[in-house]
Amino acid sequence: MSTIMIVEDDPKINQLLQEQLEKYGFQTVNVEHFDRVMEVFVSKRPDLVLLDVNLPKFDGFYWCRQMRQESNCPILFISARESKMDQVMALENGADDYITKPFDYDVVLAKIRSQLRRAYGQYAPQEGERTVEVAGLKLFLERMELSMNDTKIELSKKEALLLEALMNQYPRVVSRERLLEKLWDEQFVDENTLNVYITRVRGKLKDIGLEGAVETVRGSGYRLRATWEDGQ
């Protein structure tokens, strides 16, 4: 059963979408507090998101960018804003489709099924799963999962990208500049943001019993150390 997250502040439209989706076998997740959209997104890990543009606190474009930092799941905008620029902005910020209100629910359902097939079903890429392994530590990139022996832990998209860079370069140092480029492409971010993700990755590694595995190399960057292998 696929889970659809609905980010829509119009109670009537929200309820109708929920009823239609559940009628056809989908599980729905609704957002009640629009300053906590990402908390719901990260905790529920939906298979697809229906996202309005006009929302309290921050608009849908902002939330779309935040979601794209964590996941590649399909995102469909549903909005009364019909301008070409709004549609372009939605796609440029990471959306997969844009549906204007008022909409036909059959069309919405068809687009949802199409996106789910494309992402997870018969039209999904069939290449072998990408993995990176260092001394028994294995990163599953599509699943965003890290495993060591029989212990597994889930990662966010940024955490997976960060570990991919460190594992691919093992045992060499990866510069801060290279990590910033890989994680945020050409977007400007404060370097402290990278520090936050390094801390998160260290925490995830600690959760599976690997402490001290990400070493800070002053003036250069970071490197992965197989401390679990050499007993250090």
Side-chain angles (χ1 to χ4, degrees):
M1 181 184 294
S2 297
T3 300
I4 312 298
M5 179 173 167
I6 304 171
V7 189
E8 166 62 69
D9 65 332
D10 184 315
K12 184 176 180 180
I13 294 176
N14 195 315
Q15 182 180 354
L16 288 170
L17 282 168
Q18 183 177 348
E19 290 174 354
Q20 287 292 314
L21 291 168
E22 292 179 355
K23 176 182 175 182
Y24 287 95
F26 294 103
Q27 182 175 342
T28 60
V29 173
N30 288 294
V31 174
E32 297 179 359
H33 303 287
F34 290 93
D35 57 344
R36 300 171 65 182
V37 172
M38 284 305 296
E39 290 181 33
V40 178
F41 181 78
V42 171
S43 65
K44 299 299 182 181
R45 291 184 170 267
D47 298 298
L48 181 144
V49 178
L50 294 176
L51 179 61
D52 194 6
V53 174
N54 293 324
L55 294 168
K57 305 292 183 181
F58 300 100
D59 64 22
F61 303 133
Y62 170 83
W63 291 120
C64 187
R65 292 194 300 274
Q66 302 307 304
M67 291 174 188
R68 276 290 167 257
Q69 292 185 21
E70 300 291 334
S71 170
N72 287 322
C73 81
I75 299 174
L76 278 66
F77 271 92
I78 47 173
S79 176
R81 290 163 60 164
E82 300 179 345
S83 77
K84 183 186 296 184
M85 183 54 64
D86 285 317
Q87 297 181 47
V88 168
M89 285 183 64
L91 297 172
E92 289 292 332
N93 280 283
D96 296 282
D97 205 344
Y98 191 101
I99 306 169
T100 56
K101 301 175 185 177
F103 46 73
D104 186 299
Y105 286 95
D106 288 335
V107 172
V108 175
L109 285 163
K111 286 180 176 286
I112 287 173
R113 291 190 179 110
S114 174
Q115 291 293 337
L116 290 173
R117 286 195 300 270
R118 212 172 275 277
Y120 314 109
Q122 65 191 89
Y123 302 133
Q126 298 300 311
E127 298 97 352
E129 183 173 15
R130 291 189 302 139
T131 61
V132 185
E133 186 171 359
V134 171
L137 179 66
K138 197 165 187 178
L139 172 64
F140 299 88
L141 289 158
E142 276 79 17
R143 280 185 255 168
M144 293 188 291
E145 183 179 272
L146 190 67
S147 73
M148 184 69 185
N149 298 324
D150 295 325
T151 306
K152 297 180 180 179
I153 194 165
E154 291 184 343
L155 304 168
S156 71
K157 183 178 179 181
K158 295 296 185 189
E159 291 165 353
L161 287 172
L162 178 53
L163 271 168
E164 179 189 15
L166 294 173
M167 292 173 76
N168 277 333
Q169 288 291 102
Y170 173 82
R172 293 168 291 173
V173 175
V174 185
S175 69
R176 291 181 62 87
E177 293 76 15
R178 176 70 187 97
L179 291 172
L180 286 166
E181 179 184 352
K182 182 173 179 63
L183 271 66
W184 289 281
D185 196 15
E186 296 181 355
Q187 301 177 45
F188 175 79
V189 293
D190 190 300
E191 286 203 7
N192 287 329
T193 305
L194 178 59
N195 297 339
V196 170
Y197 278 93
I198 289 289
T199 300
R200 289 181 182 176
V201 165
R202 283 172 170 156
K204 292 290 177 74
L205 289 166
K206 184 178 179 181
D207 287 343
I208 57 174
L210 308 180
E211 294 195 46
V214 177
E215 179 184 19
T216 301
V217 181
R218 292 192 178 278
S220 297
Y222 303 91
R223 68 179 166 202
L224 184 71
R225 294 181 60 208
T227 52
W228 60 95
E229 188 178 50
D230 56 26
Q232 295 180 24

